[in-house]
Amino acid sequence: MLCFVTTDAAIEPSFLRDALTRCVDRTFNMVSVDGDTSPSDSIFVLANGMAGNRPFDHSNGTVFEEALGYVCEHMARAVAADGEGATKLLEVTISGAASPGDARTAARTVAGSMLVKSAVHGADPNWGRVVCAAGRSGAHVDPERISMTLCGVPVMAHGMPVPFNESALRSLLADSTVHIVVDLGLGSAHATAWGCDLTHDYVTINASYTT
Amino acid sequence: MLCFVTTDAAIEPSFLRDALTRCVDRTFNMVSVDGDTSPSDSIFVLANGMAGNRPFDHSNGTVFEEALGYVCEHMARAVAADGEGATKLLEVTISGAASPGDARTAARTVAGSMLVKSAVHGADPNWGRVVCAAGRSGAHVDPERISMTLCGVPVMAHGMPVPFNESALRSLLADSTVHIVVDLGLGSAHATAWGCDLTHDYVTINASYTT
């Protein structure tokens, strides 16, 4: 990935660098297509100052950073949705984690799990795979405290399965965006990761492409 | 996975436990089909002592431990080779690592890389993906020191590509066992991990199976 962001705003370089780091940390760094990385993955921001505003810095740059974050999230989602062979965007939100690091780790692991990605491809409400992925992620997890929704439909509450209309949920899971929300019930930290479904086309593309 | 090993040997329980831990660490704990885990993955060893030998312990159990390791490796390889939809066993050996932990991490990451698994499925001599996976594994890696063979054929030496006969190597990569050997050139630690190729059948099986 080579990403270039340009703006005509006047900005202090040190603030721009810090704001970009924060934005990338919760957007591009939370994207997984297949878990593999490229040596060239990079993002650049260029600001030429032609807007002539009072330069943004740590004291007045909030609105600029929000806008930069909006752009980064939009593109990060696009990277995931456009993953090789993908037919769906997978959005995984972990809340109630014991720490921000736990929330990030669990969200990334669920979004990158091959079994979860396959289930999403098949519009299969397989919440057990989500629990397993969160459990092996390294984040602190207590199965009896987990609650979960798939596409807004509760499937698990405080570690117990919640009955749901399977055919209705399968229809929702056939949508082009699938949102999995897991409340770990342990704290107040949260994070979102983006991925995509695993398809036959992913295998076809990557089994026959030589670099 | 539920694995049961039985023996009629007489063995000190503490030695049996330690020997099993060491054997599992380099065999079952180095297997990846898709990176996901099952809550029931477990191995049991039962010894009834009916052989009537002088009980094996830490002083005289070497031969027993070797035999136990042989059994564990045989079954670990079988688990990988029999992965969902797999057509090939992938064996990844990392040598020359700076530490045993680095060797294990790099071997597991290469064996579990979706891009490497797809390339193996396509019999594609895509050594760049192996380098990328080792590089992102967290192990200490210096690209200029890496040497690599695919199915015994040198493809990289001290960070430089080595010319090879592509059609001949593709034929070797079409075999049912593919061996990738990477020398990181940094130390003397080594480890082997086992995985399998990523196929259309993996997607088919896991997109349509509800637990």
Side-chain angles (χ1 to χ4, degrees):
Chain A
M1 183 198 80
L2 297 170
C3 179
F4 301 89
V5 179
T6 60
T7 174
D8 63 359
I11 312 177
E12 286 293 330
S14 72
F15 169 68
L16 184 57
R17 191 178 304 117
D18 290 353
L20 180 64
T21 299
R22 285 188 292 266
C23 289
V24 166
D25 213 37
R26 68 172 182 81
T27 58
F28 289 107
N29 285 349
M30 296 302 284
V31 164
S32 166
V33 167
D34 54 19
D36 280 298
T37 52
S38 162
S40 51
D41 283 343
S42 44
I43 180 169
F44 303 86
V45 179
L46 301 100
N48 65 8
M50 287 183 71
N53 56 290
R54 179 164 69 92
F56 295 128
D57 61 22
H58 288 275
S59 69
N60 70 342
T62 310
V63 171
F64 175 83
E65 184 168 336
E66 269 175 30
L68 181 62
Y70 179 88
V71 168
C72 287
E73 181 173 324
H74 178 83
M75 289 190 294
R77 291 170 64 106
V79 166
D82 192 41
E84 288 156 325
T87 67
K88 299 176 188 182
L89 173 67
L90 169 59
E91 186 169 55
V92 177
T93 298
I94 302 287
S95 66
S99 72
D102 272 9
R104 291 171 64 87
T105 298
R108 290 175 58 102
T109 304
V110 172
S113 156
M114 284 175 63
L115 287 180
V116 171
K117 290 158 64 76
S118 299
V120 168
H121 181 56
D124 178 1
N126 199 321
W127 53 263
R129 292 182 182 175
V130 177
V131 174
C132 285
R136 73 171 167 85
S137 69
H140 184 51
V141 168
D142 177 348
E144 297 188 1
R145 287 172 176 248
I146 294 178
S147 300
M148 189 190 310
T149 63
L150 300 180
C151 300
V153 175
V155 295
M156 198 175 182
H158 308 293
M160 297 295 290
V162 173
F164 56 85
N165 181 324
E166 186 178 325
S167 64
L169 182 47
R170 281 185 177 272
S171 297
L172 293 173
L173 287 166
D175 196 25
S176 60
T177 300
V178 168
H179 200 173
I180 298 175
V181 179
V182 181
D183 181 351
L184 296 178
L186 297 171
S188 59
H190 57 91
T192 296
W194 294 275
C196 56
D197 57 340
L198 176 60
T199 69
H200 294 111
D201 280 355
Y202 177 89
V203 179
T204 301
I205 291 166
N206 285 301
S208 60
Y209 169 79
T210 303
T211 44
Chain B
M1 183 198 80
L2 297 170
C3 179
F4 301 89
V5 179
T6 59
T7 174
D8 63 358
I11 312 178
E12 286 293 332
S14 72
F15 169 68
L16 184 57
R17 192 178 304 116
D18 290 352
L20 180 64
T21 299
R22 285 188 292 266
C23 290
V24 166
D25 212 37
R26 67 171 183 81
T27 57
F28 289 107
N29 285 349
M30 296 301 285
V31 164
S32 167
V33 167
D34 54 19
D36 281 298
T37 52
S38 163
S40 50
D41 283 343
S42 44
I43 180 168
F44 303 86
V45 178
L46 301 100
N48 66 8
M50 287 183 71
N53 56 290
R54 180 164 70 90
F56 295 129
D57 61 22
H58 288 274
S59 69
N60 69 342
T62 310
V63 171
F64 175 83
E65 184 169 335
E66 268 174 32
L68 182 61
Y70 179 88
V71 169
C72 288
E73 181 173 324
H74 178 82
M75 289 190 295
R77 292 170 64 104
V79 167
D82 192 42
E84 288 157 324
T87 66
K88 299 177 189 181
L89 172 67
L90 169 57
E91 186 169 55
V92 177
T93 297
I94 302 286
S95 66
S99 72
D102 273 9
R104 290 171 64 87
T105 298
R108 288 176 59 102
T109 304
V110 171
S113 157
M114 284 175 62
L115 287 180
V116 170
K117 289 158 64 77
S118 299
V120 167
H121 181 55
D124 178 1
N126 200 320
W127 53 263
R129 293 182 181 174
V130 176
V131 174
C132 285
R136 73 171 168 84
S137 69
H140 184 50
V141 169
D142 178 346
E144 298 188 1
R145 286 170 176 251
I146 294 178
S147 300
M148 190 190 310
T149 63
L150 301 180
C151 299
V153 176
V155 295
M156 197 175 184
H158 307 294
M160 297 295 291
V162 173
F164 56 85
N165 180 325
E166 186 176 326
S167 65
L169 182 46
R170 281 185 178 273
S171 297
L172 293 172
L173 287 166
D175 196 25
S176 61
T177 300
V178 168
H179 200 175
I180 298 176
V181 179
V182 181
D183 181 351
L184 296 178
L186 296 171
S188 59
H190 57 92
T192 296
W194 294 275
C196 56
D197 56 340
L198 176 60
T199 68
H200 293 113
D201 279 355
Y202 177 89
V203 179
T204 300
I205 292 166
N206 285 301
S208 60
Y209 168 77
T210 304
T211 43

